[in-house]
């Protein structure tokens, strides 16, 4: 888990997994509820350098959900308002290693290929959160 | 329910309007639901009691709010109670009522591969979504009016009740 001086990798493969922790309130069946997914909290652990249960280290009772890198949405919004010139948004993982967690990554939004610091479109946010909920899989069910 | 006085978030059985009728805006008011028993002061359940109860505690119990999100405001809770009342009148039972990760209240519906929700954000925005997991989700903004909320309830009901197509079934395992 420790960085130990290693640099940024960013060699994400389509089949790699991204993990995040969850609580009971976030889960319906074996998936995350879209309404409980925050657009702003994009932190995940990358399977290349992490086990699923690493995300619940020091969080006893919490569960683990995952996405596949290839599941991250592309070309949003799908249904832009008529007569508007809407640029397309893509979501990709970005390696942001921390000293105590080398696998730490973030899901970054790009507009017309350029990284965005902040997304203002509620339409895109809502589509993103819905797709991320539907494409999630809870690997370890939370007990709290 | 042991309250001796009506709690702030009793579901509204109707709405009042202010301003121009062409731009009707809901002013939530707290009235006793039509199906409240005079003897017990209890609402007939029909699958809704726990949703109303959950809605009431969302603003008070910080453990129900996602980390980093604002707790739902009283206004968001009040508008959510209006939709719950509309759903109850039309016997459309939600799956979950939760605090939204974006700050506010979400009323969620899950039926097999179909998902829908209405989010009442603390910012005052109300957003609806329906999704069948096969196509990209359809999102729309909902004005805070009785007509729009009734329309959202109808749209979600129609979406959830529509039979799944054979294409839905054939692609059900595609995501995993």
């Amino acid at each position: 888990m420790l960085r130990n001086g290693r640099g940024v990798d960013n060699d994400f493969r389509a089949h790699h997994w991204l993990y995040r922790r969850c609580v009971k309130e976030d889960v319906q069946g074996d998936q995350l509820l879209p309404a409980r997914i925050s657009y702003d909290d994009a932190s995940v652990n990358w399977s290349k350098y992490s086990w699923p249960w690493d995300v619940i280290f020091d969080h006893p009772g919490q569960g683990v959900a995952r996405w596949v890198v290839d599941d991250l949405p592309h070309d949003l919004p799908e249904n832009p308002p008529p007569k508007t010139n809407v640029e397309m948004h893509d979501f990709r993982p970005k390696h942001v290693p921390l000293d105590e967690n080398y696998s730490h990554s973030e899901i970054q939004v790009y507009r017309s290929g350029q990284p965005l610091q902040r997304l203002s479109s509620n339409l895109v946010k809502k589509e993103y959160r819905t797709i991320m909920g539907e494409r999630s899989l809870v690997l370890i069910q939370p007990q709290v | 329910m042991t309250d001796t006085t009506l709690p702030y978030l009793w579901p509204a059985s109707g709405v009042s309007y202010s301003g121009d009728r062409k731009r009707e805006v809901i002013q939530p008011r707290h009235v006793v639901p039509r199906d409240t028993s005079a003897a017990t002061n209890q609402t007939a359940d029909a699958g809704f009691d726990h949703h109303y109860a959950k809605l009431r505690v969302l603003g008070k119990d910080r453990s129900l709010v996602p980390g980093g999100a604002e707790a739902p405001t009283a206004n968001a809770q009040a508008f959510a109670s209006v939709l719950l009342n509309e759903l109850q009148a039309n016997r459309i039972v939600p799956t979950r009522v939760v605090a939204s990760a974006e700050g506010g209240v979400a009323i969620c519906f899950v039926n097999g591969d179909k998902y829908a929700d209405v989010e009442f954000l603390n910012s005052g925005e109300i957003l609806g979504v329906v999704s069948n997991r096969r196509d990209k989700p359809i999102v729309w903004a909902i004005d805070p009016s009785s007509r729009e909320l009734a329309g959202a309830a109808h749209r979600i009901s129609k979406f959830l009740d529509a039979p799944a197509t054979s294409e839905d079934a054939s692609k059900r395992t595609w995501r995993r």
Side-chain angles (χ1 to χ4, degrees):
Chain A
M1 288 286 283
L2 296 178
R3 180 170 184 173
N4 288 331
R6 291 177 287 180
V8 172
D9 181 343
N10 272 328
D11 185 22
F12 287 90
R13 302 297 174 93
H15 64 276
H16 285 172
W17 289 7
L18 305 171
Y19 307 116
R20 73 172 304 150
R21 61 178 165 268
C22 55
V23 296
K24 276 185 180 177
E25 194 71 359
D26 300 331
V27 174
Q28 180 67 34
D30 63 355
Q31 294 187 308
L32 298 177
L33 269 180
R36 296 285 295 188
I37 295 174
S38 168
Y39 165 76
D40 288 321
D41 180 8
S43 288
V44 290
N45 270 12
W46 181 10
S47 64
K48 185 172 180 179
Y49 298 110
S50 172
W51 295 105
W53 45 87
D54 288 339
V55 291
I56 50 176
F57 181 76
D58 272 354
H59 296 274
Q62 295 200 15
V64 179
R66 68 96 171 121
W67 292 283
V68 179
V69 167
D70 198 36
D71 283 344
L72 299 184
H74 297 278
D75 298 332
L76 301 184
E78 170 71 1
N79 299 296
K83 298 181 181 175
T84 56
N85 185 18
V86 176
E87 294 180 277
M88 288 296 124
H89 296 71
D90 300 312
F91 293 82
R92 305 173 209 161
K94 177 184 175 188
H95 190 209
V96 186
L98 305 174
D99 285 345
E100 71 281 9
N101 181 7
Y102 183 62
S103 75
H104 179 260
S105 303
E106 293 178 356
I107 298 171
Q108 169 79 53
V109 59
Y110 293 79
R111 187 172 63 195
S112 300
Q114 297 301 312
L116 264 187
Q117 288 305 313
R118 186 153 188 88
L119 177 60
S120 57
S121 168
N122 283 331
L123 175 66
V124 174
K125 282 185 192 176
K126 186 83 173 151
E127 286 189 1
Y128 164 80
R129 295 167 63 220
T130 304
I131 291 170
M132 292 297 278
E134 292 179 337
R135 295 182 180 177
S136 65
L137 177 65
V138 175
L139 300 175
I140 300 173
Q141 284 285 343
Q143 304 304 312
V144 294
Chain B
M1 174 67 64
T2 56
D3 297 355
T4 52
T5 56
L6 289 177
Y8 181 63
L9 283 170
W10 265 104
S13 67
V15 295
S16 57
Y17 303 94
S18 65
D20 185 350
R21 290 289 295 187
K22 290 177 183 172
R23 286 185 52 80
E24 56 191 34
V25 175
I26 292 177
Q27 301 293 322
R29 58 193 169 93
H30 309 113
V31 295
V32 180
R34 285 185 294 270
D35 55 357
T36 297
S37 159
T40 63
N41 201 29
Q42 297 288 298
T43 308
D45 187 344
F48 279 81
D49 272 4
H50 66 290
H51 290 313
Y52 285 120
K54 178 77 175 289
L55 183 58
R56 280 195 292 272
V57 301
L58 284 183
K60 303 172 188 167
D61 186 346
R62 187 68 214 182
S63 72
L64 296 174
V65 180
E70 291 177 7
T73 60
N75 209 40
Q77 289 173 283
F79 280 118
S81 78
V82 173
L83 179 62
L84 271 184
N85 203 34
E86 181 70 32
L87 294 167
Q88 186 170 20
N90 291 285
R91 300 178 198 278
I92 307 166
V93 183
T95 308
R96 298 275 297 276
V97 174
V98 295
S100 166
E102 295 292 310
V105 176
I107 299 177
C108 309
F109 306 81
V110 179
N111 182 9
D113 277 357
K114 296 178 181 177
Y115 175 82
D117 73 37
V118 176
E119 274 187 297
F120 300 84
L121 300 177
N122 290 345
S123 61
E125 290 170 291
I126 306 173
L127 296 172
V129 65
V130 293
S131 180
N132 62 11
R133 296 175 190 270
R134 175 167 48 87
D135 306 308
K136 285 191 177 166
I138 298 171
V139 176
W140 76 101
I142 300 167
D143 287 338
S145 70
S146 59
R147 182 181 301 171
E148 287 265 335
L149 285 173
H154 178 71
R155 181 173 184 170
I156 288 171
S157 174
K158 198 173 166 185
F159 168 76
L160 294 172
D161 289 344
T165 64
S166 56
E167 191 177 3
D168 286 336
S170 68
K171 295 197 174 181
R172 193 159 291 161
T173 57
W174 171 73
R175 288 274 165 79
R176 300 270 163 83

